Amino acid sequence: MIRNETMRQVAVPDAPGWKPSPGKRRPVLTFGFGAAIGFGILAAFPAVAYEPTTFLGQIGQTELQQRTGDAVQTTCGQLSQLDNRSSLQEDLFERCGNMVGNAAQLTGNQSGAEPLSLGWDTEEELGAIVQTVANEELAATRSMATELSAGQASVAFSRLQAVRGGALFGAYGNGVGLGQALAESDPRAQLSDHTGGGAGDSMVGAWGVFANVNYSTGERDGTDSENEFDYDSYGITVGADYRLSNHTILGGLVSYETLDSDFDDNSNFSTSPSSTPGGNIDADSWGIGLYGTHYIDQFYVDGLIGYTSTDYDIDRRILLPLGPAPGGGAGAVATDRTARASTDADSLTLSVGGGMDLNSGALNYGPFARLTYQDTEVDGYNESGAQGLNLTVEDQDWDSLTLALGGQISRASSQDWGVLTPYARLAWLHEFEDDAETMRAFYTVDPQQNELIAITDDPDEDYFELNLGLSAVMRDGVQAFFDYQTLLSHRYIDDHSFTVGVRLEL
């Protein structure tokens, strides 16, 4: 390990000797401490494009890399003034020096910096390395929270559509089409017994129970602000509801879901190990919900209140590989570490909607609208396992308010064994909470707690949700279904969900 005095001599030179590389902007403020590492004072967030303030920030190709580079070099400069650094602070100081030394070379400030440099030839490669020490992975919890809570709401509203107006399951109508199909499949059944308000009395009991199993898979596209990742989730939901009258149903559900995500491999470096994982976030979620519907003739109003509690296990891969021409000093070493952390999140979902159920013979159709609010709070946490590069991450609070407008259609057909109902539902979704969020963290051993700031993408404001499925009502009263759901025209997310379930009316 290089002693502190040596580190001061080979660090980035003072600002007066610095010259920007062609096509790059000069940092706004850069200060040196004698012969110590130059560091930037991070300016308050400007309304215009972010201006990097340090050598390391200046080589960044994105705002995330620029902000992270500024914070790293600022921290490094301040640590250089500590006379009695701890072993973890010394580790952070040397790892910062690897990146700062490389940046000094690339920006034409090679005097004394070569021994610490990682040795990468381009600003693009070094910028990608800087991003591995950023904290943008936390943004994935936003997509995960939405996925986990949305599944609970989808189950509740599907259940309400199934029981409303006597449509035993999945008919998405007021029971007329299903009643006609039952009459066709069983000559003893009278169509008049399965239409209107009386359908609920003749076709179902007061209590209903159900159980669903679901699987979802998808990926989130990478951007300058957020990493690309893919995910798989498995869940189960059980519930029961009670028909208070021919027009009102109330019920409750309990859900469990587990979600595994993997960030894309870090393949930005020509000499880095192939198939190097970018880290992962795993989540286990428990949820409860209360739902209800009230309907009169062809009109209905639905409501849901849900709560989910989620445990996250986070692995953040930090990779600082050596390039083609690393510095010759003892401090020029490759770094490959995994920072690990666990945290909790609480999500509250409130949703209200309404629509019309229309019919023409066995064909059921109608428009609907739904407004959903979701609030998710993620607790702050401290990482471990990455020595001086461990971060302390602050609390996060995500909000979402979406409006869904769409239509649904189904057709009940008689079979020898009962009734088969294929259905489709398409909705346009608009997100009102369309502002980016700011995530803040700092190196745990940094006495000044210089913030590493990552700003998320703006949420996609407009996209579509499509459901296709089949439901079946057996002669013995057992009901079964299959549902496929996907997002269309979403700017970032490609999601596919598959659900199977059974229901019984008691």
Side-chain angles (χ1 to χ4, degrees), residues 4 57 106 165 201 305 321 365 409 414 474 498:
N4 298 349
L106 294 174
D201 296 332
I305 179 170
Y365 57 93
I409 186 170
S414 62
M474 319 298 180
F498 307 87

Side-chain angles (χ1 to χ4, degrees), residues 45-114:
F45 301 149
V48 296
Y50 180 76
E51 291 283 350
T53 62
T54 66
F55 304 142
L56 189 56
Q58 187 264 341
I59 60 91
Q61 306 301 298
T62 67
E63 182 176 336
L64 173 63
Q65 295 174 6
Q66 291 168 352
R67 288 185 180 275
T68 303
D70 282 347
V72 168
Q73 189 166 335
T74 298
T75 301
C76 216
Q78 293 174 346
L79 286 175
S80 71
Q81 304 306 298
L82 294 180
D83 293 329
N84 297 304
R85 289 189 290 271
S86 68
S87 59
L88 291 179
Q89 289 173 334
E90 186 70 25
D91 176 73
L92 174 60
F93 185 43
E94 292 189 357
R95 301 293 74 75
C96 291
N98 294 150
M99 292 178 280
V100 173
N102 204 156
Q105 285 183 326
L106 294 174
T107 54
N109 292 270
Q110 299 182 14
S111 176
E114 295 87 347

Side-chain angles (χ1 to χ4, degrees), residues 350-469:
L350 301 173
S351 187
V352 61
M356 297 179 63
D357 285 333
L358 307 172
N359 66 85
S360 176
L363 184 68
N364 294 277
Y365 57 93
F368 67 87
R370 185 168 61 249
L371 188 66
T372 303
Y373 171 75
Q374 179 185 344
D375 176 70
T376 300
E377 296 181 357
V378 183
D379 294 340
Y381 57 87
N382 295 318
E383 294 179 329
S384 63
Q387 301 180 45
L389 296 176
N390 290 324
L391 293 177
T392 294
V393 179
E394 299 182 6
D395 296 346
Q396 303 295 321
D397 192 348
W398 314 116
D399 291 305
S400 173
L401 180 63
T402 57
L403 172 67
L405 298 175
Q408 53 203 18
I409 186 170
S410 65
R411 190 181 190 282
S413 62
S414 62
Q415 308 293 327
D416 292 340
W417 44 264
V419 177
L420 181 67
T421 305
Y423 63 85
R425 182 169 69 251
L426 179 65
W428 165 70
L429 280 77
H430 177 75
E431 174 63 69
F432 292 98
E433 295 287 344
D434 56 359
D435 293 331
E437 301 285 349
T438 300
M439 301 175 295
R440 304 176 186 275
F442 58 87
Y443 288 112
T444 304
V445 298
D446 176 15
Q448 301 299 320
Q449 297 186 1
N450 294 288
E451 287 187 329
L452 283 80
I453 294 175
I455 300 176
T456 68
D457 292 310
D458 294 331
D460 193 358
E461 295 184 22
D462 300 288
Y463 55 96
F464 296 89
E465 184 178 82
L466 174 66
N467 286 74
L468 301 173

Side-chain angles (χ1 to χ4, degrees), residues 20-271:
S21 58
K24 287 291 182 178
R25 296 169 293 188
R26 177 179 294 277
V28 178
L29 296 171
T30 304
F31 295 90
F33 289 100
I37 293 179
F39 76 97
I41 296 180
L42 186 61
F45 301 149
V48 296
Y50 180 76
E51 291 283 350
T53 62
T54 66
F55 304 142
L56 189 56
Q58 187 264 341
I59 60 91
Q61 306 301 298
T62 67
E63 182 176 336
L64 173 63
Q65 295 174 6
Q66 291 168 352
R67 288 185 180 275
T68 303
D70 282 347
V72 168
Q73 189 166 335
T74 298
T75 301
C76 216
Q78 293 174 346
L79 286 175
S80 71
Q81 304 306 298
L82 294 180
D83 293 329
N84 297 304
R85 289 189 290 271
S86 68
S87 59
L88 291 179
Q89 289 173 334
E90 186 70 25
D91 176 73
L92 174 60
F93 185 43
E94 292 189 357
R95 301 293 74 75
C96 291
N98 294 150
M99 292 178 280
V100 173
N102 204 156
Q105 285 183 326
L106 294 174
T107 54
N109 292 270
Q110 299 182 14
S111 176
E114 295 87 347
L116 286 178
S117 173
L118 291 172
W120 290 98
D121 296 330
T122 68
E123 295 182 357
E124 289 78 11
E125 290 170 322
L126 183 57
I129 291 175
V130 171
Q131 187 163 329
T132 70
V133 301
N135 61 312
E136 82 283 4
E137 288 90 348
L138 182 62
T141 60
R142 184 177 193 173
S143 300
M144 294 178 187
T146 301
E147 172 76 15
L148 295 170
S149 297
Q152 183 187 70
S154 178
V155 168
F157 286 116
S158 293
R159 173 58 179 168
L160 291 175
Q161 289 168 336
V163 300
R164 188 167 46 244
L168 280 177
F169 174 73
Y172 296 105
N174 63 4
V176 175
L178 182 57
Q180 178 171 323
L182 285 171
E184 293 173 353
S185 64
D186 187 348
R188 296 169 297 177
Q190 298 297 316
L191 178 61
S192 60
D193 292 336
H194 302 293
T195 62
D201 296 332
S202 62
M203 294 176 66
V204 295
W207 283 97
V209 295
F210 66 92
N212 295 351
V213 177
N214 65 277
Y215 166 71
S216 296
T217 184
E219 62 181 2
R220 206 274 186 195
D221 293 337
T223 65
D224 289 346
S225 300
E226 298 187 34
N227 282 354
E228 181 175 354
F229 66 90
D230 56 67
Y231 60 89
D232 296 280
S233 68
Y234 306 84
I236 183 171
T237 303
V238 295
D241 43 62
Y242 184 76
R243 185 180 296 273
L244 297 177
S245 70
N246 291 341
H247 303 288
T248 305
I249 298 172
L250 295 178
L253 58 82
V254 177
S255 63
Y256 170 77
E257 190 158 359
T258 180
L259 188 151
D260 300 325
S261 69
D262 293 295
F263 293 98
D264 267 14
D265 295 348
N266 193 345
S267 58
N268 295 295
F269 323 119
S270 58
T271 61

Side-chain angles (χ1 to χ4, degrees), residues 293-308:
T293 187
H294 181 75
Y295 52 95
I296 299 178
D297 296 327
Q298 297 172 330
F299 302 93
Y300 64 88
V301 176
D302 295 334
L304 165 75
I305 179 170
Y307 168 80
T308 57

